[in-house]
Amino acid sequence: MRVGTDWRDVSIRNVSSRGLMLVSDEPPPPGAYIEIRKTFMTIVARAVWARDGFFGVRTQDDIDFDELMENAKGPPKGWKPGMDRRTGDRVAAHRPAETAERGRQFARVFQFVAITGAVVGVAALLALSLWETLMRFVEPVTTALG
């Protein structure tokens, strides 16, 4: 568990969808924001209460109980001894080249849709204007012909 810049050992005693009951030699004070790491899973929470080494936290997001239990079995595939468990998941999840390519693809599609929409809008306005102009000349002729 990380409290501020300090890392401490902690044991999970109880889990709910948006909270945990934990035990530690140095529980954080109520109101403190903490980060809990279980192998490569990260849980961000805020301490709500503390008493006799036990403390309760409310999590930022729903807790994926299945993932938590999967992490309890041991390290994930691809984990090697000496790998930093505090940053390993961030490195694995962040691929700058892939993220940039997805951004470029989205931008291309968005640009195509925006330009196509603008061209269709301008064409519709021109067609309406042309129709109104033609109708100014056709109406008197239609009225005269009866």
Side-chain angles (χ1 to χ4, degrees):
M1 165 182 70
R2 182 169 63 94
V3 179
T5 58
D6 299 329
W7 286 94
R8 305 174 188 169
D9 289 330
V10 66
S11 296
I12 299 172
R13 297 302 169 124
N14 194 349
V15 180
S16 68
S17 65
R18 292 294 296 255
L20 298 164
M21 183 174 71
L22 308 155
V23 64
S24 175
D25 291 338
E26 294 181 59
Y33 286 92
I34 65 169
E35 182 178 317
I36 301 164
R37 297 279 179 138
K38 179 66 178 157
T39 311
F40 284 87
M41 181 179 184
T42 303
I43 300 171
V44 177
R46 184 174 182 212
V48 179
W49 60 270
R51 187 178 334 118
D52 301 327
F54 290 87
F55 63 101
V57 298
R58 173 131 175 94
T59 60
Q60 175 180 329
D61 302 309
D62 287 339
I63 297 172
D64 185 346
F65 186 74
D66 294 332
E67 182 181 358
L68 185 65
M69 294 309 296
E70 189 66 31
N71 275 288
K73 294 178 183 176
K77 293 177 185 173
W79 184 83
K80 297 179 180 116
M83 201 180 234
D84 185 357
R85 68 182 180 89
R86 292 170 293 190
T87 58
D89 60 334
R90 292 180 187 164
V91 172
H94 183 65
R95 305 270 189 258
E98 293 170 10
T99 303
E101 184 57 32
R102 280 194 307 270
R104 280 190 289 277
Q105 288 174 352
F106 175 78
R108 284 185 205 119
V109 170
F110 184 79
Q111 183 180 14
F112 175 78
V113 169
I115 290 172
T116 303
V119 167
V120 168
V122 169
L125 286 174
L126 285 174
L128 181 62
S129 177
L130 181 62
W131 177 260
E132 289 175 354
T133 303
L134 287 175
M135 289 312 289
R136 275 191 228 142
F137 295 110
V138 172
E139 279 181 10
V141 173
T142 306
T143 305
L145 292 175

